[in-house]
Amino acid sequence: MTRSGSRRFRQILLHAVLGPLALLWILPLWIMVVFATMPSNAIFSPNLNLIPGDRFMENFRELQAATGFTRTLLVSIVVATVSTALSVMLTSMAGWALVRYRFKGRAMVIALIFGTMTLPYFVVVIPQFIMVARDFGLSNTWFALIVPPLFNSLGVLFMRQSFSMMPHELFDAAQVEGVKEWQIFTRIALPLAKPTLAALSIILFLASWNNYLWPLLISNQPEMMTAPVALGTLIGFTRVSWGAIMAGAVLMTLPMIVVFIYLQRFFMSGITAGAVK
């Protein structure tokens, strides 16, 4: 077998294995779409139906009447967008500082950042809630929704790895030419880190978009309710509006699929950036 024939055979074999796995991943999403178009009692029918129905608008109207879902979607978009932008900026600056500057205790700082990744979120969320809500009195505010979850240790290490792989001679040459440090960071380092920034932005946006526990704790007023919390209110003790929940889940999932497809090339480049050095 020739080299091209062997390569073609490996590609066919790879697609034969990954094709069913992709369908296995897509199937739950398709079932969610189908359930969003069915009444709640039909969702639990013993016969699984994979053909969409005609009740999506009825389920959406029920969702909108119960939660004001379009408003909660707008709140989620604002929170996720602002939080992602600020978190990417802060993690990039922290990663840059850990790469460019040699200071006493630098190894301890990196070790502490690694250590925070091992802490369960539930260990931090209660003291964080007490400080923000009781001590500062900032519950039901944009500040409380956006600022406390900003620190992301994974993002700091992600950007540190990206900056450490760049040629330091380039930065040193710019410094010799009289370019200021912040200009080196914004005009040279950040453009070179675009794939990593895109991948990190997707990860952080997803984390903020799907965050349920913190918005549930810190905001109890309808005008500050995010979309995941709004869907949670449809689960009651005596009645669960499954059709409305599925409709809301579809509306929350579609934008992220579109964003990921659009940024897929940058996402894969950023994820694999540290594979070869």
Side-chain angles (χ1 to χ4, degrees), residues 9-216:
F9 174 76
R10 288 197 300 268
Q11 290 178 348
I12 293 174
L13 182 62
L14 182 64
H15 283 80
V17 173
L18 295 181
L21 292 178
L23 292 176
L24 190 64
W25 178 83
I26 292 174
L27 182 61
L29 295 177
W30 178 248
I31 292 176
M32 177 184 66
V33 173
V34 172
F35 284 173
T37 63
M38 300 169 61
S40 296
N41 58 353
I43 292 176
F44 295 97
S45 173
N47 299 320
L48 181 61
N49 187 3
L50 297 179
I51 301 175
D54 58 355
R55 284 187 55 88
F56 180 82
M57 292 308 301
E58 287 80 356
N59 290 333
F60 174 75
R61 281 193 286 268
E62 179 182 355
L63 173 67
Q64 180 66 18
T67 65
F69 195 69
T70 54
R71 184 195 64 252
T72 64
L73 274 178
L74 181 60
V75 172
S76 289
I77 290 172
V78 172
V79 170
T81 303
V82 175
S83 176
T84 300
L86 293 176
S87 188
V88 168
M89 180 185 68
L90 292 175
T91 53
S92 299
M93 294 170 64
W96 177 257
L98 292 175
V99 170
R100 286 286 290 173
Y101 301 114
R102 299 293 185 266
F103 53 89
K104 195 173 182 179
R106 176 172 168 270
M108 180 63 69
V109 172
I110 296 175
L112 286 174
I113 294 174
F114 271 109
T116 58
M117 296 177 63
T118 65
L119 289 176
Y121 181 63
F122 302 101
V123 175
V124 181
V125 67
I126 298 302
Q128 183 175 275
F129 169 76
I130 293 174
M131 180 178 65
V132 174
R134 187 189 67 184
D135 298 339
F136 295 157
L138 293 174
S139 57
N140 296 302
T141 62
W142 291 105
F143 182 92
L145 280 173
I146 295 172
V147 174
L150 279 183
F151 176 76
N152 188 281
S153 55
L154 177 62
V156 174
L157 299 175
F158 211 50
M159 295 308 301
R160 173 179 173 267
Q161 176 66 16
S162 177
F163 291 138
S164 65
M165 294 175 60
M166 297 178 183
H168 291 264
E169 294 80 6
L170 180 64
F171 305 141
D172 295 337
Q175 198 169 29
V176 170
E177 292 295 328
V179 182
K180 295 181 180 180
E181 188 69 22
W182 67 270
Q183 292 176 322
I184 297 175
F185 173 64
T186 56
R187 298 183 182 181
I188 300 176
L190 289 182
L192 290 176
K194 277 184 180 179
T196 306
L197 290 173
L200 182 60
S201 297
I202 292 176
I203 294 172
L204 294 177
F205 190 91
L206 270 173
S208 180
W209 183 259
N210 294 324
N211 193 2
Y212 176 78
L213 181 58
W214 178 249
L216 175 67

